[in-house]
Amino acid sequence: MAIHKKEEFSTKEQHLAAFAKAISHPARIAILGVLAKRNQCICGEIVEILPLAQSTVSQHLKELKNAGLIDGETDGPRSCYCINWKAFEKFNAEFHSLFEKLKEANAKCC
Amino acid sequence: MAIHKKEEFSTKEQHLAAFAKAISHPARIAILGVLAKRNQCICGEIVEILPLAQSTVSQHLKELKNAGLIDGETDGPRSCYCINWKAFEKFNAEFHSLFEKLKEANAKCC
DNA sequence: TTTATTAATCGTTTTTATACGATGAATATG
DNA sequence: CATATTCATCGTATAAAAACGATTAATAAA
């Protein structure tokens, strides 16, 4: 990609795109599902459920955390994760708002 | 990535992830904005607006089309694109449903 | 204190994404 | 018919993502 051009778009577009990227892998959607069902759980439990190696799961968790969708805190030698519902809600609203704004813009023009 | 593991997740997870990937780049979100505002337009118009080369825009359009989010048909030497609102609505509903299901699963457990 | 458990990080490999210029095919215009 | 316009595709380069095994750091247990 020689040069990244992502910076040349609006903050809103970048923000929404980053969120979309966070959930653009089935493993990460599956992780959110596990966390929702159990409210919170440690990395090892997720590794047992997903068909992925421990290091790979850890990577996906890191990305979800960077995107703000989950929180994680250490509990002894373990790491306990849970969904950040507030952030998730906010992202959900943002996405819905994109859809509504597109429809609105379209209605104005036609 | 040695081996792809995406296939080992559920169809629903794969489907939603693919949709998220389609809108996971600011350029593609911007393209949707342009299409919504003008209802339909040709590739060249989008190229004039975005800070990207013609071939790059064409690639992004192809991805949006593959994801089903836009339709495109040739009009002489031009290619005219527009948003596939039905598909977009469906994806929007699917995404919203993910959020609701996560909340529901979480409510059951706590 | 030694040992085991847990998970993050490192290093590496392979695949995919992003971006561009150049080419080519199709159609429109002179 | 020759030329110009438009855009998709090709080839290429670089960056990022995805996956794994191995290592390491931290804590718990023996």
Side-chain angles (χ1 to χ4, degrees), chain B residues 21-41:
Chain B
K21 178 174 271 181
I23 60 165
S24 74
H25 193 290
R28 293 195 284 271
I29 295 179
I31 288 173
L32 291 174
V34 174
L35 289 180
K37 206 176 286 180
R38 311 199 175 186
N39 195 44
Q40 61 171 45
C41 66

Side-chain angles (χ1 to χ4, degrees), chain A residues 19-63:
Chain A
F19 165 56
K21 177 174 270 180
I23 60 166
S24 74
H25 194 289
R28 293 195 285 269
I29 295 180
I31 288 174
L32 290 174
V34 174
L35 289 180
K37 206 177 286 177
R38 310 200 175 184
N39 194 45
Q40 61 171 44
C41 64
I42 63 167
C43 178
E45 293 179 278
I46 301 171
V47 171
E48 277 177 31
I49 297 171
L50 301 201
L52 296 171
Q54 181 268 321
S55 55
T56 307
V57 170
S58 199
Q59 253 180 5
H60 282 307
L61 285 167
K62 192 181 179 187
E63 281 176 65

